[in-house]
Amino acid sequence: MEAIPGPSTARKRRRDEENVPESEDYDEALSLEQSLTFSDTLVALRIMRAQFPQIEKVSVQPFILRSQLYSSVKDRTQVDRELESLRRDKVLRIFKLNTGQDDHAIMFMDDYLNQIERVIKRMAAKKQDELAVFEWFKTHVITSKLEPSIEHQELCSLLSFGGNVKDEHISLLINAGLLTRQLIDPNMYWFAIPNIGSLLKGLSQGRKELLSFLNRRRYKEMMLAPLEKKRLRLSPLDMRFHLRDLIGSGHVKTVHTPTGLVVRVSKD
C-alpha cells in the first residue's frame, strides 16, 4: 500500500504509477503541468483517481480526500503547497464537504466539467429555457473563481458576463447541486459536487463502522492484508478508500511487523 511511509515507498510508488491506466484525463493533467516537476502529490492523486471505487447507482466522478493525500505523502506542507499550485493552474478543484468535519475533496477539473455535463443533461427536460446558466457557470465562474466558496454578488457579477441573471438562475444552480448556501452567511455559497450526498453519508458511516470494528478487536488492531479485503456494510466506498482517509486523519496508524503491516487505532 503506497500510502504507508517506509523504505520501499519510492519503489512501490513507481510500480503503482506504472499501473495507472492511460486516460484522456491523465494526459490532460500532464499537458497542463509541463512546467512542474512530477510531484509526489500529483502521483498520489492520479493513483487514487484510478483506484476510486466503482459505485452502482451513484453518478459521481472520482474524487480524492485531502486526508488521503496526507496518508501517502509524508510532508503535509508539501501536499498543501502542491495542491495550491495545481488549483491555481486549474488542473483540479478543491471542495469543502458538508460532513460536519474539516473535510475537503479534490477533483480533477476535467472530471468536474464532465460532472456538470451530466447535470445539464439531467436538468434539460425540466428547465429548457434556463439552461444557459450552466454554460455561464462553466465559462465565467469556475474558470475565474478558484476558491472553494463565492459571495452572492460576485457570483451574479461573473454570471452576468453570459446574460441577464435572475434569481431563478441561482436557484437552478443550487437545485442542480453545483452550489450550497453557507449556514453561517446566507450570502456565501460553497461550490459543490453534484450527486455526492449519498457518498458523504457513506463516508461518515464507514468511518464509524471501521473504527468500531477495530476497537472491538483485541489490542484494537488487525493485519492490513485481511482487513483490506473486508467489506463495509454502511458505506458504498471501499475499505481502501476509508483506510487511506483514517490513516491520513490520524485516527488509525500502521505499524511494521515481521509478518506485515498492522493497522491499529491511534491512542487519543
Side-chain angles (χ1 to χ4, degrees):
M1 183 175 178
E2 71 283 0
I4 316 303
S8 63
T9 304
R11 292 195 301 275
K12 191 76 187 293
R13 258 199 206 119
R14 283 198 295 273
R15 288 202 301 274
D16 280 327
E17 184 186 336
E18 290 166 4
N19 291 333
V20 175
E22 289 293 326
S23 69
E24 289 182 6
D25 294 349
Y26 193 87
D27 294 337
E28 180 70 2
L30 279 175
S31 65
L32 286 169
E33 284 302 298
Q34 288 174 352
S35 61
L36 287 178
T37 57
F38 195 55
S39 69
D40 283 343
T41 301
L42 196 51
V43 170
L45 283 166
R46 288 188 177 129
I47 291 169
M48 291 179 196
R49 183 201 178 280
Q51 294 178 345
F52 188 79
Q54 296 292 319
I55 303 168
E56 294 182 5
K57 300 178 183 178
V58 179
S59 180
V60 176
Q61 294 288 304
F63 62 88
I64 301 96
L65 300 177
R66 190 194 292 263
S67 56
Q68 293 173 323
L69 287 178
Y70 289 158
S71 78
S72 68
V73 182
K74 197 171 182 181
D75 186 344
R76 295 188 174 205
T77 304
Q78 176 192 341
V79 171
D80 293 340
R81 186 174 62 245
E82 291 175 349
L83 275 180
E84 178 63 20
S85 176
L86 291 166
R87 184 180 69 85
R88 283 199 310 267
D89 290 344
K90 304 178 186 177
V91 176
L92 50 79
R93 282 197 76 95
I94 300 174
F95 301 86
K96 175 78 170 69
L97 296 182
N98 185 25
T99 57
Q101 300 186 36
D102 189 27
D103 289 319
H104 291 82
I106 298 136
M107 185 178 277
F108 281 103
M109 185 67 84
D110 282 353
D111 289 333
Y112 179 51
L113 291 172
N114 285 336
Q115 188 82 6
I116 295 176
E117 285 302 322
R118 292 183 182 188
V119 169
I120 294 174
K121 288 179 182 177
R122 194 178 76 239
M123 304 294 281
K126 302 175 185 176
K127 298 268 185 178
Q128 293 283 354
D129 52 339
E130 304 292 353
L131 285 180
V133 70
F134 292 112
E135 291 301 327
W136 305 347
F137 185 76
K138 281 198 310 180
T139 306
H140 305 294
V141 179
I142 62 175
T143 55
S144 304
K145 188 67 175 178
L146 306 179
E147 291 79 10
S149 62
I150 188 169
E151 194 265 335
H152 178 79
Q153 198 56 48
E154 185 178 9
L155 173 66
C156 293
S157 177
L158 290 172
L159 287 173
S160 69
F161 285 109
N164 184 26
V165 183
K166 295 180 275 187
D167 289 342
E168 301 91 86
H169 289 130
I170 307 299
S171 297
L172 195 58
L173 292 172
I174 293 172
N175 293 337
L178 291 167
L179 296 171
T180 58
R181 286 188 189 274
Q182 291 191 19
L183 296 177
I184 299 173
D185 184 353
N187 283 318
M188 291 291 291
Y189 305 93
W190 294 113
F191 289 99
I193 300 172
N195 304 331
I196 201 175
S198 62
L199 295 190
L200 295 187
K201 182 181 178 182
L203 175 62
S204 297
Q205 291 183 331
R207 285 169 170 168
K208 293 174 184 174
E209 184 181 353
L210 178 50
L211 286 172
S212 175
F213 173 78
L214 288 172
N215 275 314
R216 290 196 306 270
R217 293 184 65 84
R218 192 179 183 186
Y219 306 124
K220 300 184 179 182
E221 65 181 33
M222 185 174 178
M223 297 297 297
L224 174 62
L227 178 59
E228 196 173 355
K229 294 174 184 174
K230 286 193 168 291
R231 292 179 66 90
L232 292 163
R233 294 181 301 107
L234 302 177
S235 175
L237 299 159
D238 60 15
M239 184 63 82
R240 179 167 50 191
F241 189 96
H242 283 287
L243 280 169
R244 280 200 175 111
D245 167 47
L246 290 174
I247 292 167
S249 63
H251 285 89
V252 302
K253 61 183 177 180
T254 54
V255 182
H256 288 271
T257 72
T259 51
L261 279 172
V262 168
V263 176
R264 182 180 298 162
V265 176
S266 300
K267 293 180 181 177
D268 294 331

